[in-house]
Amino acid sequence: MEAREIKSGHLRQLADYRRSILQHPPLRHLFLELTLRCNENCLHCGSRCGEEAHPPELSLAQYKALLDEIKSDFGDALPVLNITGGEPLLRRDFFDIMAYANGLGFRWGMTTNATLIDEAVARKLHACGMKTVSVSIDGLEATHDRLRGCKGAFAGAMRGIHALLDNGGFQHVQVTTVVNHQNIGELPALFELMCGMDIGSWRVINIEPIGRARQHPELLLTKEEYRLLFDYIREKRMQGYLLTYGCSHFLGLEYERQVRDWFFLCDAGIYTASVMANGDIAACLDIERRPELIRGNILRDRLKDVWEHRFEVFRCDLSDRNEICRNCDACEFCRGGAHHSWDYDNDKPLVCFKEILF
């Protein structure tokens, strides 16, 4: 049997499984956006973090009440907490929140720019239970600093990574790179940099036309650069390196399972929910923050009730909303793609790899 037939069979099994769990999907990952404040100003930020006007943040007492509620409602099936922002470490009560979560038995990891991490912070992160961490490196020094709107961002991130590696004892330290038109030529040099560090993996994703990146179309990849990116990831993986593509997008039978360890599945609303800095409840934090996609708020709603009864908008195929997608021969596997890259104003995907990769 050819590889394409095997992949097609596995993708059909995945589609059947997805349909079977939609009635009672398990909440496996809960993202907590502790703040939208940030000490950087990234050109590609999906949440527009670092801008002046931001909603009020939940207090320490409100986070403790939320964690107590989740512990009571989910018992032994607690979701893994994924801590993000903005830059989470800007909260003065960060360690109070996470020590409380750790004391309740939550497993947790964090996404950070690492510029606020030194040896002492790394040890405190380990002491309050952090297991995994993802640090952003978006190019060599000049490129990284330019994309992040902050001189010294690269040097600070590298210091933070080495502090985590040298002092933490964490299960997994990952580096994430957002590949765009300005840094794709630096992939070989970045690869050498990653090989020189004892990181757990290097996660590579393409820039998406969402958030602040929509103001910078010059950063988007060309068709040729997309193929170059996926060929590069596949080549390095075949050589045994711990390089992986992110969760976004159906890539066609040529690349599926070649550039990451799993087949495409948008987890938003199926395994994943999030609580925004102001308490709003939604699915993936990268999804456009529209009123119809905000399903509740923890200050007035119980998370479990919202998860079980108000997430229907995330548990249907996006392809049903668009005739071209609905009639596409990849519809069974793609289902319209990821929720974060869907244009809800025009009901069409912002990114589609058909005729680019397959």
Side-chain angles (χ1 to χ4, degrees):
M1 184 180 294
E2 294 185 359
R4 294 174 68 88
E5 294 179 49
I6 295 173
K7 288 182 182 181
S8 294
H10 289 167
L11 282 162
R12 290 190 184 95
Q13 290 177 26
L14 178 60
D16 290 342
Y17 172 74
R18 177 180 176 273
R19 284 189 288 268
S20 73
I21 65 169
L22 287 183
Q23 296 302 313
H24 302 286
L27 179 59
R28 296 180 179 174
H29 297 278
L30 177 63
F31 283 79
L32 296 183
E33 179 187 73
L34 296 190
T35 182
L36 280 172
R37 289 175 289 136
C38 194
N39 56 345
E40 297 182 344
N41 191 32
C42 302
L43 297 181
H44 55 282
C45 180
S47 302
R48 300 181 182 273
C49 299
E51 296 178 356
E52 291 184 5
H54 286 312
E57 298 173 0
L58 298 175
S59 67
L60 172 61
Q62 288 166 334
Y63 273 115
K64 286 184 175 181
L66 171 64
L67 293 167
D68 286 338
E69 174 193 299
I70 297 170
K71 175 71 173 179
S72 173
D73 287 348
F74 288 87
D76 293 334
L78 291 177
V80 175
L81 301 180
N82 299 277
I83 308 304
T84 186
E87 173 48 53
L89 289 169
L90 284 174
R91 283 196 64 124
R92 294 182 179 179
D93 55 4
F94 173 88
F95 289 103
D96 296 318
I97 296 171
M98 300 323 302
Y100 192 78
N102 185 51
L104 291 177
F106 285 92
R107 293 176 296 138
W108 68 277
M110 179 172 67
T111 298
T112 175
N113 62 38
T115 58
L116 302 178
I117 298 176
D118 57 17
E119 293 187 358
V121 171
R123 289 193 290 269
K124 288 180 70 175
L125 288 168
H126 185 262
C128 64
M130 188 175 80
K131 302 300 182 187
T132 63
V133 60
S134 180
V135 178
S136 301
I137 295 290
D138 291 323
L140 300 177
E141 185 165 12
T143 303
H144 179 90
D145 286 2
R146 182 172 61 252
L147 289 168
R148 297 202 152 252
C150 181
K151 187 174 177 58
F154 180 87
M158 293 300 292
R159 284 195 300 270
I161 291 171
H162 286 294
L164 290 164
L165 292 172
D166 294 342
N167 297 277
F170 305 103
Q171 290 180 0
H172 199 92
V173 176
Q174 180 185 76
V175 171
T176 294
T177 298
V178 179
V179 176
N180 58 73
H181 186 65
Q182 291 187 2
N183 67 10
I184 190 168
E186 297 178 353
L187 279 176
L190 285 170
F191 173 75
E192 295 301 323
L193 179 68
M194 301 305 154
C195 288
M197 299 187 290
D198 189 25
I199 59 173
S201 64
W202 182 26
R203 178 174 175 262
V204 177
I205 57 179
N206 56 274
I207 190 171
E208 302 276 29
I210 61 175
R212 200 176 288 138
R214 299 191 78 163
Q215 300 169 225
H216 297 280
E218 74 279 3
L219 294 177
L220 301 181
L221 296 173
T222 66
K223 291 183 178 181
E224 294 74 19
E225 287 170 338
Y226 273 124
R227 185 167 283 274
L228 174 65
L229 170 64
F230 293 116
D231 284 343
Y232 187 84
I233 298 172
R234 178 169 59 182
E235 175 189 352
K236 293 304 180 185
R237 285 175 61 85
M238 290 178 67
Q239 294 170 0
Y241 294 102
L242 295 175
L243 174 60
T244 185
Y245 179 61
C247 60
S248 303
H249 307 300
F250 176 68
L251 305 177
L253 294 178
E254 179 181 353
Y255 290 102
E256 284 292 331
R257 283 287 281 132
Q258 299 294 308
V259 298
R260 57 189 167 204
D261 295 336
W262 61 93
F263 290 105
F264 168 69
L265 175 66
C266 180
D267 288 351
I270 299 177
Y271 298 137
T272 299
S274 63
V275 176
M276 299 177 189
N278 66 349
D280 283 344
I281 302 169
C284 170
L285 285 167
D286 284 334
I287 298 173
E288 186 179 357
R289 301 184 181 200
R290 304 167 64 93
E292 70 269 27
L293 301 179
I294 305 299
R295 309 311 296 160
N297 187 287
I298 65 107
L299 299 180
R300 61 177 183 269
D301 302 302
R302 206 166 184 92
L303 177 67
K304 187 177 184 184
D305 178 66
V306 175
W307 173 258
E308 291 180 346
H309 303 295
R310 303 191 200 172
F311 264 46
E312 66 284 344
V313 67
F314 303 114
R315 293 171 185 161
C316 56
D317 291 348
L318 289 166
S319 54
D320 290 341
R321 304 166 65 127
N322 180 283
E323 184 178 1
I324 294 175
C325 288
R326 190 164 57 246
N327 295 319
C328 174
D329 56 10
C331 177
E332 181 183 9
F333 305 146
C334 178
R335 297 174 295 277
H339 283 272
H340 78 268
S341 60
W342 187 260
D343 179 350
Y344 284 91
D345 286 324
N346 299 294
D347 269 333
K348 65 179 184 179
L350 291 165
V351 178
C352 174
F353 283 116
K354 190 173 185 183
E355 298 181 0
I356 297 178
L357 299 180
F358 62 97

